[in-house]
Amino acid sequence: MEKKIVLIGDSKRFMVNAILKGLEKDDYEVTVIRPDVTDISHMENHLQIYVMYLEDDVNEELLVFLKDSIDDREIQLFLIGNPEELDAVYHFIPKEKITAGLSRPLNIKELTDRLDCALSAESKRQEQKRILVVDDDGTMLRTIKTWLSSKYRVFMANSGMNAITFLAKNPVDLILLDYEMPVASGPQVLEMIRSEPATSSIPVMFLTSKSDRESVLKVVSLKPEKYLLKTMPPEELIANIDDFFEKNR
């Protein structure tokens, strides 16, 4: 298990350096970055475990960015601060989304024990297949994610263009694509996916309410893996996805 994490804090601060030394002593490979959105965004797609030392330079923009990263990229976030600082963060990021909030003075052994557990869980999660669900209906997105998350890593995009942006930075093993969406329809999104060398080979299944013959025939030439209806029971949807991955191992 690779013990790699991101430590968010000012490297000139005594406590940030003390945490760094404590983690390195326990064989962690630590990347220290400033509490700055631009700096942290450069870490996208690299590491999934973040430890943030809370001080007066933590701002609202950063917290909103981290909340979105937890939702979109499934990062695990550890916080270190006093009770007031932790409560201030929970105002922007729901407490249940935080992996752990540790109070100062910090017990470094408690931190490393929790990090070990988080890294072990992350290692297992990385082995799961990655599915991107694309749908402009937020309720449907959350429902599908709930159905699939016990077996798969599920990511969500609420528009075709957001899906294209996500795919430019994130590899996935399967896309579940709605048919009717504003701005770019499902067939248009699939055409864009097929036209880019980096995404052209990603398997795509339509998951839609449109069951008429004309709609189905319209996308046959784009060769989706399957054409599934949203009305199917969740166990049938999961069985279709399981079957696809089983046949393509």
Side-chain angles (χ1 to χ4, degrees):
M1 179 177 67
E2 290 187 323
K3 300 173 70 168
K4 295 182 178 181
I5 67 163
V6 175
L7 175 59
I8 303 173
D10 187 341
S11 60
K12 297 178 181 178
R13 301 284 177 91
F14 171 80
M15 282 306 303
V16 173
N17 268 296
I19 294 168
L20 171 61
K21 288 184 173 67
L23 292 172
E24 289 179 335
K25 186 177 180 180
D26 201 44
D27 298 323
Y28 273 85
E29 183 179 329
V30 184
T31 301
V32 183
I33 54 179
R34 297 181 303 131
D36 177 84
V37 169
T38 301
D39 288 1
I40 297 173
S41 65
H42 290 158
M43 295 304 302
E44 286 188 351
N45 310 320
H46 295 287
L47 301 178
Q48 297 297 118
I49 310 292
Y50 287 55
V51 177
M52 183 163 67
Y53 187 79
L54 299 175
E55 292 190 285
D56 54 9
D57 49 5
V58 177
N59 57 62
E60 179 177 338
E61 180 189 14
L62 174 60
L63 296 178
V64 171
F65 176 83
L66 288 171
K67 178 183 180 298
D68 291 340
S69 295
I70 292 171
D71 292 337
D72 298 337
R73 294 178 44 231
E74 299 181 319
I75 69 163
Q76 297 191 57
L77 179 61
F78 290 73
L79 302 175
I80 301 169
N82 62 41
E84 292 76 18
E85 290 165 336
L86 293 171
D87 285 341
V89 173
Y90 299 149
H91 178 73
F92 292 96
I93 307 176
K95 190 173 182 179
E96 60 271 17
K97 291 182 178 290
I98 304 294
T99 307
L102 305 175
S103 297
R104 295 197 297 262
L106 177 66
N107 181 331
I108 193 70
K109 179 65 165 57
E110 180 184 2
L111 174 61
T112 56
D113 284 348
R114 294 200 177 203
L115 286 172
D116 286 346
C117 290
L119 284 167
S120 178
E122 177 63 21
S123 179
K124 293 177 181 177
R125 195 166 62 95
Q126 291 290 349
E127 296 174 0
Q128 293 178 315
K129 296 292 187 180
R130 298 162 60 94
I131 298 176
L132 174 64
V133 184
V134 188
D135 198 307
D136 62 310
D137 184 335
T139 300
M140 179 56 65
L141 280 176
R142 291 187 293 273
T143 299
I144 299 300
K145 182 170 185 177
T146 299
W147 289 351
L148 302 181
S149 288
S150 63
K151 301 181 72 172
Y152 300 105
R153 292 186 66 187
V154 182
F155 304 88
M156 301 182 292
N158 62 4
S159 72
M161 298 316 298
N162 283 343
I164 297 299
T165 300
F166 178 88
L167 291 169
K169 298 180 179 180
N170 302 278
V172 298
D173 301 293
L174 176 66
I175 299 169
L176 297 181
L177 181 61
D178 189 21
Y179 196 107
E180 286 189 308
M181 295 185 292
V183 184
S185 68
Q188 289 172 324
V189 173
L190 183 49
E191 287 179 351
M192 287 187 277
I193 291 170
R194 292 286 185 254
S195 69
E196 293 294 329
T199 59
S200 61
S201 62
I202 300 175
V204 176
M205 295 182 187
F206 275 97
L207 181 60
T208 176
S209 299
K210 291 183 70 64
S211 58
D212 60 284
R213 185 171 181 272
E214 181 182 351
S215 296
V216 176
L217 292 177
K218 186 176 180 179
V219 297
V220 166
S221 62
L222 297 172
K223 298 181 179 179
E225 301 297 330
K226 293 188 178 185
Y227 194 98
L228 306 174
L229 296 179
K230 292 179 180 179
T231 52
M232 67 171 49
E235 57 271 16
E236 186 175 343
L237 172 62
I238 295 169
N240 272 276
I241 295 172
D242 289 348
D243 181 65
F244 166 77
F245 285 127
E246 183 65 26
K247 290 180 178 177
N248 292 275
R249 284 197 300 179

